[in-house]
Amino acid sequence: MKRSRFSEEQNIGILKKQQAGLRVVEICRRHGISDATFYTWRSRFGGMEGSDARRLKAAVEWHHIAPGKPQRNGFVESLNGRLRDECLNEHLVRSLPAARIIIEAWRVDYNTCRPHTSLGGLTPNAFATRSRQDQNQNGFWL
């Protein structure tokens, strides 16, 4: 994603100039931005103060995995690898509906019948049944 040369606070400051009476064309010329950029900022930051933008930025953290760094998300990469090795590499698929049927059958098997090490060697169905029995015996829900 392209990084802007203006911060959110600066964008809001530029928008305030229009509210103070300057014409959009003059503001865009002074700051070297296009009209489209100005109106995009207005739709995103219109009515905000600088402190609002800082709070929004602090509240919303973007968790981005850099290209070429799949090891940062091992759970998804493990699932993708299994899907590719056990399902996609095993079947020659000639149409999208056929691919959907094959992938759905693999997903159902993976999520219901196959034991998972993260569940202590139980299948997801056995783990869910055991959890419900434990909750009923203890009289509370986890």
Side-chain angles (χ1 to χ4, degrees):
M1 177 158 72
K2 185 178 176 187
R3 186 183 151 125
S4 174
R5 64 181 179 178
F6 297 103
S7 69
E8 285 85 358
E9 292 88 0
Q10 290 171 325
N11 295 349
I12 291 169
I14 292 169
L15 293 174
K16 295 276 183 204
K17 292 178 182 180
Q18 192 237 352
Q19 293 174 350
L22 265 95
R23 293 181 22 228
V24 172
V25 174
E26 179 64 22
I27 295 168
C28 293
R29 187 184 60 74
R30 282 187 188 176
H31 295 284
I33 60 173
S34 68
D35 291 355
T37 299
F38 179 86
Y39 290 113
T40 300
W41 290 352
R42 192 168 79 176
S43 69
R44 188 176 299 158
F45 302 111
M48 288 179 118
E49 297 293 325
S51 60
D52 296 333
R54 283 189 294 277
R55 263 188 305 217
L56 180 65
K57 191 174 184 179
V60 178
E61 284 187 34
W62 185 256
H63 296 286
H64 175 71
I65 298 173
K69 302 284 184 184
Q71 64 273 18
R72 291 188 182 169
N73 194 351
F75 295 111
V76 171
E77 288 303 315
S78 175
L79 176 69
N80 288 345
R82 287 174 197 241
L83 173 65
R84 189 173 33 257
D85 292 341
E86 298 171 6
C87 181
L88 301 177
N89 289 346
E90 296 293 321
H91 300 281
L92 178 63
V93 181
R94 298 191 183 274
S95 67
L96 185 58
R100 287 184 176 145
I101 291 168
I102 291 168
I103 292 169
E104 178 63 14
W106 182 85
R107 186 192 68 79
V108 168
D109 177 65
Y110 185 83
N111 288 330
T112 58
C113 303
R114 178 181 291 179
H116 292 260
T117 56
S118 63
L119 302 177
L122 297 173
T123 65
N125 280 346
F127 184 80
T129 302
R130 192 185 81 180
S131 294
R132 277 194 290 276
Q133 290 171 350
D134 291 346
Q135 290 166 359
N136 289 339
Q137 287 175 354
N138 296 329
F140 64 91
W141 292 86
L142 298 176

